[in-house]
Amino acid sequence: MFDMFFPDRYVASTYVIDFEKLYEQGYRGLIFDIDNTLVPHGAPADGRAVRLFERLKAIGFRCCLISNNQEPRVKMFNEKIQVDYVYNAHKPSTKNYLRAMEIMGTDPETTVFIGDQLFTDVWGAKRSGIPSILVKPIHPKEEIQIVLKRYLEKIVLFFYRRSLTREKKVEKRHNLL
């Protein structure tokens, strides 16, 4: 029932993802949300974000930021990062996920989306056929509409974790045969 909102992976932070492994697996494009995925809400790119994007470019990734924010916010964040971006994206609409892949020259099989929200980021990626990595929000301070969504996300994440536990049990049974 909730599986349309389930990410392909759920990790503690963008900064713990093994991007070298993703590249080895054939991924070439990374689409990122900004707020609470890379930096706290409204913050400029910090040293950690700058180093991450330098590393990603060195690995060989094409990167694109996709945000529901207006251009001044996205442009300000991108000043030190210098990657492609799409602002006012209307996530979870698929239109700008597809546009981001077009900009990067990738497709759903070679692209991964990284974001912190299930009902915008992950659902939009899933609807676009793109694998997604959900990260825990960087900072608890959020706008009220996001705070309300977080309560609903807790319910979905409960069922997501339960489905992973079931998959592991099934896998164990199959390994016994």
Side-chain angles (χ1 to χ4, degrees), residues 1-14:
M1 176 167 121
F2 292 115
D3 59 337
M4 68 180 143
F5 301 112
F6 289 176
D8 294 289
R9 285 185 49 212
Y10 183 32
V11 299
S13 165
T14 300

Side-chain angles (χ1 to χ4, degrees), residues 31-45:
I31 303 173
F32 288 92
D33 173 55
I34 300 172
D35 289 326
N36 260 340
T37 297
L38 295 165
V39 293
H41 187 81

Side-chain angles (χ1 to χ4, degrees), residues 31 62 64 84 86 94-108 111 130:
I31 303 173
R62 290 291 311 267
C64 189
D84 294 308
V86 177
T94 60
K95 177 183 175 188
N96 287 307
Y97 289 83
L98 301 174
R99 184 168 167 225
M101 287 187 288
E102 184 180 319
I103 290 168
M104 295 187 300
T106 61
D107 57 40
T111 305
I130 305 169

Side-chain angles (χ1 to χ4, degrees), residues 4-177:
M4 68 180 143
F5 301 112
F6 289 176
D8 294 289
R9 285 185 49 212
Y10 183 32
V11 299
S13 165
T14 300
Y15 300 96
V16 301
I17 296 169
D18 187 343
F19 290 104
E20 289 79 5
K21 185 175 181 181
L22 288 175
Y23 195 84
E24 287 171 15
Q25 293 172 334
Y27 295 102
R28 297 296 181 262
L30 301 171
I31 303 173
F32 288 92
D33 173 55
I34 300 172
D35 289 326
N36 260 340
T37 297
L38 295 165
V39 293
H41 187 81
D46 57 16
R48 185 167 70 159
V50 171
R51 287 188 300 277
L52 173 66
F53 282 91
E54 287 171 352
R55 180 175 144 222
L56 295 174
K57 291 173 189 177
I59 292 169
F61 280 111
R62 290 291 311 267
C63 299
C64 189
L65 307 171
I66 180 173
S67 175
N68 284 347
N69 283 301
Q70 298 303 310
E71 187 173 24
R73 162 66 183 128
V74 180
K75 190 173 184 179
M76 181 266 290
F77 175 83
N78 194 43
E79 284 174 3
K80 295 179 186 174
I81 302 293
Q82 293 299 304
V83 296
D84 294 308
Y85 64 85
V86 177
Y87 62 92
N88 198 20
H90 299 285
K91 294 179 288 180
S93 169
T94 60
K95 177 183 175 188
N96 287 307
Y97 289 83
L98 301 174
R99 184 168 167 225
M101 287 187 288
E102 184 180 319
I103 290 168
M104 295 187 300
T106 61
D107 57 40
E109 289 76 37
T110 60
T111 305
V112 174
F113 181 87
I114 297 114
D116 70 299
Q117 292 188 55
L118 289 175
F119 302 124
T120 53
D121 298 331
V122 170
W123 192 32
K126 191 164 224 133
R127 292 175 62 220
S128 303
I130 305 169
S132 63
I133 300 174
L134 177 69
V135 298
K136 292 182 181 173
I138 288 176
H139 195 275
K141 183 178 175 270
E142 297 182 298
E143 297 171 344
I144 187 66
Q145 71 271 17
I146 296 173
V147 171
L148 297 173
K149 284 190 228 175
R150 295 288 185 206
Y151 288 110
L152 297 172
E153 285 184 353
K154 286 180 183 180
I155 295 166
V156 175
L157 288 171
F158 168 81
F159 288 102
Y160 170 72
R161 288 185 184 103
R162 197 163 97 181
S163 75
L164 292 178
T165 303
R166 285 185 181 152
E167 285 176 22
K168 286 179 185 174
K169 287 178 182 176
V170 168
E171 197 173 285
K172 277 185 181 179
R173 271 189 246 133
H174 289 301
N175 289 336
L176 293 174
L177 300 177

